[in-house]
Amino acid sequence: MAIPSRLTGTLNSPSARSWPSNDAVVASRRPPNAVGGTSSGPAAKSEGEGDRPENPCKAVEELRPLWEFMEAVIDGAEELLENGDLKQKVFPQMPLETALAYNARAQLYSWQPFTKRVAATAVGTILHTPPAIADDTPEELAQLLEAGVDLYGSSLETFTNDLLSESVIFGSSYLLVEYPKPPSELTRKQERDLGLRPYWVQICADDVLDAKTELTTTFKNGVPMYGVQLTQFRFKATQHVPDGKFGSKEEEIIKVYTLVKAEKAGDRPYVETSVWTKTDGDSGRYLENEDLRGRLSLAYIPIFPVLSGKKKGQYFSYPVLLDLAYANIEHFSVASDLRFAMHMQAIPKAVAYGVDELSLDAGPESILCFEDPSAKLEYVAPPPAAYDVMMQRISAIETNMLNMTISILQPSESAAESGIARRLIMSQTEGILNTIASSLENALNGAIAATAELLELDGGSITINRDFDHHGLTPEEVSNVLGLFQGQLLTRKTSLQLLKAGDYFRDLEDFDPELEAEAVDQEIALQNAEASTPAPAAEPDATPALE
């Protein structure tokens, strides 16, 4: 795994917190010429290499080290230490340190999965309410989404969670709408009888090879529009092939989706799909399997990206948690050094003075005798004050990571903050979360539109809840609402509506403020009626008195 450019310098240097050089991003934002259009095109190769489908584009080559770095940070310390280059960066070997001592020191690490926890917090915050299917969605399409959106029967909520998690960690993930290739030309009814249906596929960022775009005229709902359109998308995948009678093995393939333009007026563009498999031998070239060539009756390639970080072109972006991951690595390095130093403090070194050669027999019954009166034996260890610098540095790193977490992903829950301060923090947080949620919602709606078109249906949409302040009202805010009600400045119904809007009744799924207010009023009226009704007079006791 290559080391990202931001880790080639000192971890503590200010330059380690700046974005890497990105001439490609600047170039991609320049106005394209009218002839060539725009493309993320393949990286510069030798002559003829442009015809090899396995070659990635420049954007992928530049982002791949960051994807591998983020994957190692998410996987944890074991994955980080398995990489030799990164291990030397986090735990540099000292000039006089033996390999045995170096490896022993590296094993005394201290790792905290801050980046992984923040990623889970981001996904949970955005998807605290499951994606909602609109009421105008055709019944057939709604049933398909509820039955399972992919070939594994995953629910819409599960699929969306995986899609978003991939995007938050790596900066981008992709949703592909696919349709199984029928054995022959079939009618729509025959396809339904066979259970053939569109299905969704999640594509990971590090599997993408290229997303080529061009300036062309497209049709949106029958209206011609001139702009950038995806014309080819390549990505890696695996398929299982038989291996003997009972075994199977994975085979890497490359899938290519190409938009075929209309050759003449009246024709409709379509998407051609091809599968390339690796040949045996030393050449390792990929050849197309013509038997697996397919076609989608769509005028666009049904690939929909979910971008979460700083964009790099139209279909790629940097990991949104990249800065936090770098801070996580710096914390890993300093905390591990502190743990090793404390270990050495717990096992001090014995030092003898004025003795040529000494053999110790350790034990409670042992006695050390020295012929030289000036000879002495003592233990040497670093003073505890020597750890103060490292502990201060760890505290500074943790404060920095906490600030990044609050400002980027995690809303503040402190009840001591004023309402204005809390809303300012929330607005800053929700700006980034809204961007990610908007990209996710656009991808899901693009996929549902393509699915509906393949099923020859109209309508359908999915909504992602943007109300990320689901932590509810603070105790102070609840007291204010109750005070306004008790002061007769708010009605019972309005007070209950405010409490419900503040997620105060989140454990009561069917709570209705209007019905609850009516029920309370009826109960109070009944109690008042019972209290105003006079009690019946007591009847005289007819029992004769005993003498």
Side-chain angles (χ1 to χ4, degrees):
M1 181 181 75
I3 301 300
S5 59
R6 292 173 59 187
L7 284 179
T8 55
T10 305
L11 280 170
N12 299 337
S13 65
S15 62
R17 288 181 287 275
S18 61
W19 283 104
S21 176
N22 185 18
D23 296 335
V25 173
V26 177
S28 66
R29 291 177 179 172
R30 297 169 184 162
N33 57 62
V35 179
T38 61
S39 173
S40 57
K45 305 285 182 181
S46 59
E47 185 177 358
E49 292 288 290
D51 294 329
R52 303 190 66 164
E54 68 271 22
N55 290 337
C57 65
K58 291 181 181 179
V60 170
E61 284 191 335
E62 294 176 9
L63 287 172
R64 183 162 288 165
L66 300 181
W67 294 337
E68 294 175 350
F69 170 68
M70 290 299 300
E71 183 176 13
V73 172
I74 294 298
D75 288 344
E78 288 79 7
E79 181 69 21
L80 290 167
L81 295 177
E82 284 181 2
N83 179 270
D85 294 336
L86 191 55
K87 180 180 178 181
Q88 281 289 341
K89 192 61 195 176
V90 179
F91 297 106
Q93 186 173 3
M94 299 296 104
L96 300 180
E97 190 175 25
T98 65
L100 181 62
Y102 169 68
N103 290 327
R105 179 168 65 89
Q107 293 302 316
L108 289 175
Y109 59 81
S110 178
W111 171 256
Q112 294 292 333
F114 295 111
T115 308
K116 187 174 182 179
R117 292 171 184 168
V118 173
T121 300
V123 175
T125 302
I126 295 175
L127 296 179
H128 72 277
T129 300
I133 303 174
D135 295 335
D136 62 346
T137 303
E139 183 179 356
E140 180 181 353
L141 182 57
Q143 290 177 351
L144 186 149
L145 296 175
E146 293 173 357
V149 297
D150 59 10
L151 292 179
Y152 300 96
S154 302
S155 65
L156 176 62
E157 183 177 355
T158 300
F159 185 90
T160 303
N161 185 85
D162 295 341
L163 186 69
L164 180 60
S165 299
E166 187 80 12
S167 177
V168 169
I169 294 172
F170 298 102
S172 55
S173 60
Y174 304 86
L175 199 168
L176 165 68
V177 179
E178 183 59 281
Y179 198 93
K181 183 180 179 181
S184 60
E185 294 294 333
L186 301 175
T187 63
R188 179 72 188 111
K189 182 179 182 306
Q190 290 173 329
E191 291 181 357
R192 286 195 185 98
D193 293 339
L194 289 176
L196 301 182
R197 61 177 179 86
Y199 59 91
W200 296 1
V201 179
Q202 177 189 341
I203 301 175
C204 301
D206 56 352
D207 287 333
V208 177
L209 295 170
D210 192 12
K212 188 180 297 183
T213 58
E214 291 182 9
L215 274 173
T216 183
T217 300
T218 61
F219 291 86
K220 298 292 185 181
N221 299 323
V223 179
M225 298 180 62
Y226 184 71
V228 177
Q229 185 178 30
L230 182 67
T231 56
Q232 189 180 82
F233 190 85
R234 291 185 287 123
F235 65 95
K236 298 180 296 182
T238 56
Q239 65 179 5
H240 292 271
V241 296
D243 184 19
K245 290 184 177 181
F246 309 107
S248 65
K249 59 182 180 180
E250 287 188 350
E251 181 181 68
E252 186 176 284
I253 62 174
I254 294 175
K255 301 197 72 174
V256 182
Y257 287 70
T258 305
L259 181 64
V260 180
K261 300 178 182 179
E263 297 181 355
K264 57 183 180 180
D267 289 349
R268 176 183 171 85
Y270 64 92
V271 178
E272 183 180 75
T273 64
S274 59
V275 178
W276 299 67
T277 56
K278 195 171 185 179
T279 58
D280 297 331
D282 298 332
S283 64
R285 296 185 67 90
Y286 283 80
L287 298 178
E288 181 185 1
N289 187 339
E290 296 185 359
D291 295 335
L292 299 179
R293 185 178 296 179
R295 174 171 175 168
L296 287 175
S297 58
L298 295 173
Y300 56 90
I301 299 177
I303 290 285
F304 308 99
V306 181
L307 306 180
S308 62
K310 179 183 176 183
K311 293 184 69 174
K312 183 176 179 65
Q314 191 69 22
Y315 283 86
F316 302 97
S317 71
Y318 288 96
V320 69
L321 301 180
L322 188 59
D323 284 329
L324 183 64
Y326 286 130
N328 204 162
I329 289 295
E330 185 178 1
H331 184 278
F332 179 33
S333 177
V334 180
S336 299
D337 288 343
L338 176 61
R339 180 185 176 187
F340 179 77
M342 295 178 70
H343 174 74
M344 298 305 295
Q345 170 75 21
I347 308 177
K349 188 76 172 179
V351 180
Y353 300 90
V355 180
D356 294 335
E357 184 176 356
L358 180 65
S359 177
L360 292 178
D361 183 14
E365 305 296 332
S366 300
I367 299 177
L368 297 177
C369 300
F370 301 101
E371 297 180 358
D372 188 349
S374 62
K376 63 178 180 177
L377 178 67
E378 64 182 25
Y379 287 101
V380 177
Y387 307 140
D388 292 344
V389 175
M390 284 189 289
M391 295 179 70
Q392 291 173 4
R393 181 57 188 159
I394 290 175
S395 178
I397 297 172
E398 291 176 349
T399 301
N400 182 35
M401 288 191 292
L402 178 61
N403 291 334
M404 283 191 287
T405 300
I406 293 175
S407 63
I408 296 176
L409 296 173
Q410 192 172 23
S412 174
E413 300 182 24
S414 175
E417 293 170 344
S418 66
I420 295 177
R422 187 167 181 262
R423 294 297 181 261
L424 287 175
I425 293 176
M426 286 302 304
S427 63
Q428 183 182 14
T429 303
E430 290 182 6
I432 297 176
L433 294 180
N434 260 313
T435 301
I436 301 174
S438 176
S439 180
L440 175 63
E441 187 175 270
N442 290 338
L444 293 175
N445 283 322
I448 200 172
T451 304
E453 187 172 347
L454 290 172
L455 292 174
E456 300 178 358
L457 300 173
D458 294 327
S461 62
I462 295 176
T463 303
I464 300 295
N465 190 351
R466 308 294 180 84
D467 182 14
F468 303 126
D469 187 12
H470 63 285
H471 299 275
L473 297 173
T474 65
E476 180 183 0
E477 291 169 335
V478 172
S479 298
N480 291 338
V481 173
L482 295 178
L484 291 172
F485 169 69
Q486 292 171 356
Q488 297 183 357
L489 298 176
L490 288 178
T491 64
R492 192 186 315 278
K493 176 182 174 181
T494 302
S495 302
L496 292 174
Q497 288 175 338
L498 289 174
L499 292 175
K500 181 180 180 181
D503 210 15
Y504 189 77
F505 302 108
R506 56 182 172 272
D507 295 331
L508 303 176
E509 297 181 358
D510 300 329
F511 182 80
D512 188 326
E514 185 172 354
L515 296 178
E516 186 69 18
E518 292 178 359
V520 172
D521 290 338
Q522 291 175 3
E523 185 175 345
I524 293 176
L526 180 61
Q527 292 176 354
N528 293 336
E530 292 177 352
S532 61
T533 302
E539 297 181 0
D541 191 0
T543 304
L546 297 178
E547 294 183 358

